[in-house]
Structures are given as structure tokens and as C-alpha cells.
Amino acid sequence: VVQLAASSRPAVTGLQMVGANVEISFTAEASDTPSAFSLQEAGTVNGSYGDVNATISGSGGNFKAVRALGGGQQFYRIKRN
């Protein structure tokens, strides 16, 4: 039996509104690439989260997801693909 190392969960380190966008900063493994992640949102904290369009950039374990603001209050999380 060969056990593979479990990838760490992304950790959100900041959230800010910049112009008409929301920027979510997060950390993960230094070897990860932006394509390893998706941004999800829900209308309530315990709601049903779904993938949304976002630009995810970064390297060396520091990443940022940028999405256009829209509508009312939203809750976000980062998903490892």
C-alpha cells in the first residue's frame, strides 16, 4: 500500500472589494498552480455552493481569486479541484 500525501486545504487570508470586483486572497501548497482551484459562492453561509467564473492567479503558495461583484450578499470559498 502506498499512501500519497494529502494536499493541504486552501486557507483564505483576506477579502476585499476593489472597484467592481471582490478579491479573495488565499494560501496553499507552494507547488500548486492557479488551475488547481475554483471559486465557489452561495447566497447564505450554509447554502448550496457552486463554482463561479473567477480569475485565479498566483504562485509560490500565495493566490488571489478575482470576481465581478453582483447582486446582494454572497459567501465565498476556495475549492481544490
Side-chain angles (χ1 to χ4, degrees):
V1 174
V2 176
Q3 290 189 351
L4 302 175
S7 296
S8 66
R9 298 174 95 181
V12 173
T13 58
L15 185 141
Q16 63 181 344
M17 291 184 285
V18 178
N21 294 319
V22 60
E23 294 184 355
I24 298 109
S25 300
F26 64 98
T27 58
E29 298 291 328
S31 60
D32 283 328
T33 61
S35 63
F37 306 100
S38 296
L39 179 67
Q40 296 188 317
E41 77 175 16
T44 62
V45 71
N46 292 325
S48 178
Y49 283 80
D51 291 353
V52 293
N53 290 330
T55 300
I56 299 177
S57 61
S59 63
N62 295 299
F63 299 91
K64 183 187 305 184
V66 179
R67 174 168 170 73
L69 288 170
Q73 177 175 294
Q74 294 294 316
F75 294 85
Y76 297 97
R77 68 183 184 191
I78 302 294
K79 177 184 83 171
R80 182 178 290 280
N81 295 329

